[in-house]
Amino acid sequence: MNTPAASAAAAPSAADRTQLRVGLGERSYDIVIGPGLLAEAGARIAALRPGARVGIVTDHNVADRHLGTVETSLREAGLSPTPVHVAPGEKSKCFAVFEDVVDALLAARIERGDLVLALGGGVVGDLAGFAAAALRRGVDFVQAPTSLLAQVDSSVGGKTGINSRHGKNLVGAFHQPILVLADTGALDTLPLREFRSGYAEVAKYGLIDNAPFFAWLERKWQAVFGGGPERIEAIATSCASKAAVVSRDEKETGDRALLNLGHTFGHALEAGAGFSQRLLHGEAVAIGMAQAFRFSAAQGLCAQGDAARVEAHLRSVGLPTRIADIPGELPDTDGLMNLIGQDKKVSRGALTFILARGIGQSYIARDVDPSQVRAFLEVERRPG
Amino acid sequence: MNTPAASAAAAPSAADRTQLRVGLGERSYDIVIGPGLLAEAGARIAALRPGARVGIVTDHNVADRHLGTVETSLREAGLSPTPVHVAPGEKSKCFAVFEDVVDALLAARIERGDLVLALGGGVVGDLAGFAAAALRRGVDFVQAPTSLLAQVDSSVGGKTGINSRHGKNLVGAFHQPILVLADTGALDTLPLREFRSGYAEVAKYGLIDNAPFFAWLERKWQAVFGGGPERIEAIATSCASKAAVVSRDEKETGDRALLNLGHTFGHALEAGAGFSQRLLHGEAVAIGMAQAFRFSAAQGLCAQGDAARVEAHLRSVGLPTRIADIPGELPDTDGLMNLIGQDKKVSRGALTFILARGIGQSYIARDVDPSQVRAFLEVERRPG
């Protein structure tokens, strides 16, 4: 029997939704989290930009699963969607694909007042966001992240960009979305390895400044992976952490750098592995966070026990924590140091790292001696 | 005899300098105008960013004349310059050269806290400015415009960008310089045709909202071309006009569109001529302004006599005012309409033009009927 109660249980209800606000003055925006949001994209976007043309940037994998839902939803809400397809994977974050996307959006006659919708993971979000920032010197965009990584990290905060042959995310813009729709139902079709990679960024928020959240994750991570209400709670807590930092420091002149915990080592490894499937972004961040804690412990800044606890939790969910966990060849220590120096989080030659005095006690160390980093990497690279 | 008086006359003195401030809150900056400023670039930049690395983006023509002066000045002031060369001409405002410039700046290790110096005309300024905006999501830049066009227009106001195959300046950023150094001595080596092209933008400021300035130009244009104090006065008046508009409306949501007088027609013609030496930007703007006044007169918005006076002045300085003045083939009316529609100054299909009720009485017309523009172009294209 199709009773009202059964019908209400089948469709996502308002009670499943968490809504957060990123407070940035006239650039403030909402993050909505919950199942079934892609099917509501049209109504939610039309409420902000009625009648707009919408360039939907997406990759083939995501398009196969979700593009039909989104296009239908947009059309039904009186919007005019045009899909712009890119190849899946980090290689699309390059100048050539950036040019293709911008040209396709121009061909779709996306004007000021229209918008760009990023439908996909972090690659699509970063690329589409930079294209929106540069198109006609800036049109609005909406993030519809479909990976865990994008939902808890890249879709929130306005960092957009592409990679250069000199390193990752070295070219881009700060360009805030006008809305983020994190459909948690979309995560059900993610490969486990990709989900796990995103989980590294979830754990990061605990390690930065929220020790109780890290302890909660140690107890509840299986439920987060399993897809219960704990998953929505973990995503909401992560987004709230990121939103709070971004509100305080939109352009990364101060506190925001804390979000780079694990990223300076991590980006160098990711670049060293050629931004390939050998090492996903979150896997690189997991190794980078474990390294940041080991480096902090080696410098006497935090207890060895905290570094061990970080490593144990990441390994328990199946994430890598050591350079030796990366399959295949990597640059030597000189090569890694060079990649670290090209990371954009540098200031006049001194290295900036996010180090930790303990779990939930990360801080920005602006004058890290490169020779100590080199010595640490030499030890790290030795076969265990 | 090398008397103190003679020596004072030979070197530029503070009395030759005009300084204006573009008021944009924390993004405010100075425009300094006068002879000999390139030789002072080092001291003036070091006062703002002591010890910085400076990526100098320039073209071969400008480099031959001025790069040595600027590099020496920067080194003497304790800065570390690295030149980045691009080919002269509008063709350099493309994705491929943008990528080259960004990569070269990364190779020069330009970090946040360092800066990019645009040494050249409008092409170099637009390209270098966009590269600075995108590099590490934004580093500071200084404009050292060496053409009249760049001194009175493109170097002031923060519009940066490149062209797409869909049209001119469709990709870029609003990115304000931290300083503009307009060395009027650099204009002495400009070819007459290029100076004249820049003069079109000078005349534009009179036509927008300053009828007395236009009347002054009608009387004094020969002295402006000749290089007397009238030239500095004309440049300063132009920069002050632009600075006032930019301060009111940084991102072109309102009044700033007035600066596009002549540019909607002009950009379409420039694109139609393939952004080539057949038609320089200022020449296109001159034709576009004459067309804007003729179109306004044809619509009964302004007196035929005003349109005739605009055309007469532009022709007296040697600028073109008619499509027939452009050598070679151009797109047909359909082609030009398509180029006008792709211009970024459009809003949901209706065309926005800057029209005029008279000299110094320009205004933004947001709902121009495309069929009237088409009919006007048909008449304009008929052989006179």
Side-chain angles (χ1 to χ4, degrees):
Chain A
M1 299 287 286
N2 191 15
T3 63
S7 159
S13 76
D16 298 323
R17 306 294 162 72
T18 300
Q19 188 153 334
L20 305 165
R21 183 115 183 126
V22 184
L24 287 168
E26 62 181 18
R27 290 185 302 288
S28 296
Y29 57 95
D30 289 326
I31 306 169
V32 193
I33 303 160
L37 284 167
L38 291 180
E40 296 171 20
R44 290 177 180 270
I45 291 170
L48 298 173
R49 295 288 183 277
R53 291 188 184 112
V54 182
I56 307 175
V57 181
T58 190
D59 69 37
H60 303 299
N61 293 344
V62 174
D64 288 347
R65 287 179 213 136
H66 304 299
L67 182 59
T69 304
V70 172
E71 276 197 288
T72 302
S73 169
L74 265 56
R75 282 219 181 79
E76 284 175 1
L79 303 163
S80 303
T82 304
V84 175
H85 293 272
V86 302
E90 187 78 24
K91 298 267 184 212
S92 284
K93 277 177 67 175
C94 66
F95 284 94
V97 176
F98 171 68
E99 176 174 0
D100 289 344
V101 170
V102 168
D103 274 338
L105 293 169
L106 287 168
R109 302 223 164 202
I110 303 297
E111 301 170 4
R112 292 189 193 165
D114 294 323
L115 47 81
V116 174
L117 171 63
L119 175 65
V123 167
V124 162
D126 287 0
L127 177 64
F130 184 36
L135 186 72
R136 301 175 189 277
R137 296 196 190 92
V139 302
D140 289 331
F141 87 118
V142 170
Q143 292 272 19
T146 58
S147 72
L148 179 58
L149 178 65
Q151 291 189 358
V152 300
D153 181 28
S154 53
S155 73
V156 176
K159 278 194 182 182
T160 70
I162 58 176
N163 304 321
S164 143
R165 61 188 171 82
H166 293 283
K168 200 167 143 65
N169 295 324
L170 290 174
V171 190
F174 287 98
H175 190 57
Q176 300 294 341
I178 61 167
L179 176 68
V180 179
L181 298 173
D183 186 335
T184 53
L187 305 183
D188 292 333
T189 53
L190 276 192
L192 173 60
R193 186 181 172 198
E194 209 181 313
F195 188 91
R196 201 187 265 147
S197 171
Y199 182 86
E201 299 276 357
V202 174
K204 186 185 75 175
Y205 296 106
L207 295 176
I208 290 174
D209 63 358
N210 194 340
F213 181 51
F214 188 76
W216 182 86
L217 289 170
E218 287 177 311
R219 294 193 307 277
K220 303 280 193 181
W221 70 268
Q222 281 149 315
V224 174
F225 275 68
E230 288 85 353
R231 179 187 286 178
I232 296 178
E233 187 175 342
I235 294 171
T237 301
S238 299
C239 288
S241 293
K242 178 144 190 188
V245 174
V246 170
S247 296
R248 285 203 302 275
D249 177 22
E250 184 179 3
K251 301 230 170 139
E252 195 168 0
T253 51
D255 263 13
R256 181 164 177 163
L258 287 171
L259 298 173
N260 294 325
L261 175 64
H263 282 62
T264 303
F265 284 125
H267 280 174
L269 295 172
E270 218 178 341
F275 300 115
S276 67
Q277 288 294 309
R278 282 167 58 197
L279 186 67
L280 301 182
H281 175 69
E283 293 169 345
V285 169
I287 299 174
M289 292 192 298
Q291 287 185 310
F293 272 80
R294 284 196 297 269
F295 182 71
S296 298
Q299 304 285 307
L301 297 163
C302 89
Q304 294 282 357
D306 282 338
R309 195 177 144 199
V310 171
E311 179 157 11
H313 178 58
L314 295 173
R315 293 201 88 82
S316 70
V317 309
L319 282 164
T321 59
R322 299 266 169 186
I323 293 178
D325 295 333
I326 305 167
E329 293 291 309
L330 283 177
D332 61 11
T333 303
D334 281 341
L336 288 178
M337 286 301 295
N338 196 44
L339 289 166
I340 285 171
Q342 257 303 339
D343 188 273
K344 69 201 166 304
K345 290 166 280 295
V346 291
S347 172
R348 295 297 179 59
L351 295 175
T352 295
F353 275 80
I354 312 306
L355 300 181
R357 297 194 181 86
I359 287 168
Q361 299 176 59
S362 296
Y363 70 100
I364 303 166
R366 298 203 184 275
D367 280 302
V368 175
D369 181 348
S371 71
Q372 292 183 321
V373 176
R374 159 182 286 282
F376 171 76
L377 283 177
E378 287 286 354
V379 173
E380 288 271 305
R381 291 177 59 88
R382 248 174 248 156
Chain B
M1 300 286 288
N2 192 14
T3 64
S7 158
S13 75
D16 298 322
R17 305 294 162 73
T18 301
Q19 187 153 336
L20 307 165
R21 183 113 184 128
V22 183
L24 287 167
E26 62 181 17
R27 291 186 302 286
S28 297
Y29 57 93
D30 290 325
I31 306 169
V32 193
I33 304 160
L37 283 168
L38 291 180
E40 295 172 21
R44 289 176 182 270
I45 292 170
L48 299 173
R49 295 289 182 278
R53 291 189 184 111
V54 182
I56 307 175
V57 181
T58 189
D59 70 36
H60 302 299
N61 293 344
V62 174
D64 288 347
R65 285 178 215 137
H66 304 299
L67 182 58
T69 304
V70 172
E71 276 197 289
T72 301
S73 169
L74 265 56
R75 284 222 179 79
E76 285 175 359
L79 302 163
S80 303
T82 303
V84 175
H85 294 272
V86 301
E90 188 77 25
K91 298 269 184 209
S92 284
K93 278 177 65 175
C94 66
F95 284 94
V97 176
F98 172 68
E99 177 174 1
D100 289 345
V101 169
V102 168
D103 274 339
L105 293 169
L106 287 168
R109 304 225 162 199
I110 304 298
E111 302 170 3
R112 291 187 194 165
D114 295 323
L115 48 80
V116 174
L117 172 62
L119 175 66
V123 166
V124 162
D126 287 0
L127 178 64
F130 184 36
L135 186 73
R136 302 172 189 280
R137 297 197 188 93
V139 302
D140 288 331
F141 87 116
V142 171
Q143 291 271 19
T146 58
S147 72
L148 179 58
L149 179 63
Q151 291 189 357
V152 299
D153 180 28
S154 51
S155 72
V156 176
K159 278 194 182 181
T160 70
I162 58 176
N163 304 321
S164 143
R165 62 189 171 81
H166 293 283
K168 201 168 143 63
N169 294 323
L170 290 174
V171 189
F174 287 97
H175 190 57
Q176 301 294 341
I178 61 168
L179 177 68
V180 178
L181 298 174
D183 186 336
T184 53
L187 305 182
D188 292 333
T189 54
L190 276 191
L192 174 59
R193 186 181 171 199
E194 209 181 314
F195 188 90
R196 202 187 264 148
S197 171
Y199 183 85
E201 299 277 357
V202 174
K204 186 185 76 175
Y205 296 107
L207 294 176
I208 290 174
D209 62 359
N210 193 339
F213 181 51
F214 188 77
W216 182 86
L217 289 171
E218 288 178 311
R219 294 193 308 277
K220 303 280 191 180
W221 69 269
Q222 280 148 316
V224 174
F225 275 68
E230 287 87 351
R231 179 188 285 180
I232 297 178
E233 187 174 343
I235 294 171
T237 301
S238 300
C239 288
S241 293
K242 179 145 190 189
V245 174
V246 169
S247 295
R248 284 203 303 275
D249 176 22
E250 185 179 1
K251 301 231 170 138
E252 195 168 0
T253 52
D255 262 14
R256 181 165 177 163
L258 287 171
L259 297 174
N260 294 324
L261 175 64
H263 282 61
T264 303
F265 285 125
H267 279 174
L269 294 172
E270 219 178 340
F275 300 117
S276 67
Q277 287 294 310
R278 281 166 59 196
L279 187 66
L280 301 183
H281 176 70
E283 293 169 344
V285 169
I287 298 174
M289 292 193 298
Q291 287 184 311
F293 272 80
R294 284 196 297 270
F295 183 72
S296 298
Q299 303 286 308
L301 297 162
C302 90
Q304 294 283 357
D306 281 339
R309 194 176 144 200
V310 171
E311 180 158 10
H313 178 58
L314 296 173
R315 293 201 88 85
S316 70
V317 309
L319 281 165
T321 58
R322 299 266 170 185
I323 293 178
D325 295 333
I326 305 167
E329 292 291 308
L330 282 178
D332 61 12
T333 302
D334 281 341
L336 288 179
M337 286 302 294
N338 196 42
L339 289 166
I340 284 172
Q342 256 306 336
D343 188 274
K344 70 201 164 308
K345 288 167 281 295
V346 291
S347 172
R348 296 297 180 58
L351 295 175
T352 295
F353 275 79
I354 311 307
L355 300 181
R357 297 193 181 88
I359 287 167
Q361 298 176 62
S362 297
Y363 70 101
I364 304 167
R366 297 203 186 275
D367 281 301
V368 175
D369 181 348
S371 70
Q372 291 183 320
V373 176
R374 159 183 286 281
F376 171 75
L377 283 177
E378 287 286 355
V379 174
E380 287 272 305
R381 289 177 59 88
R382 249 173 246 157

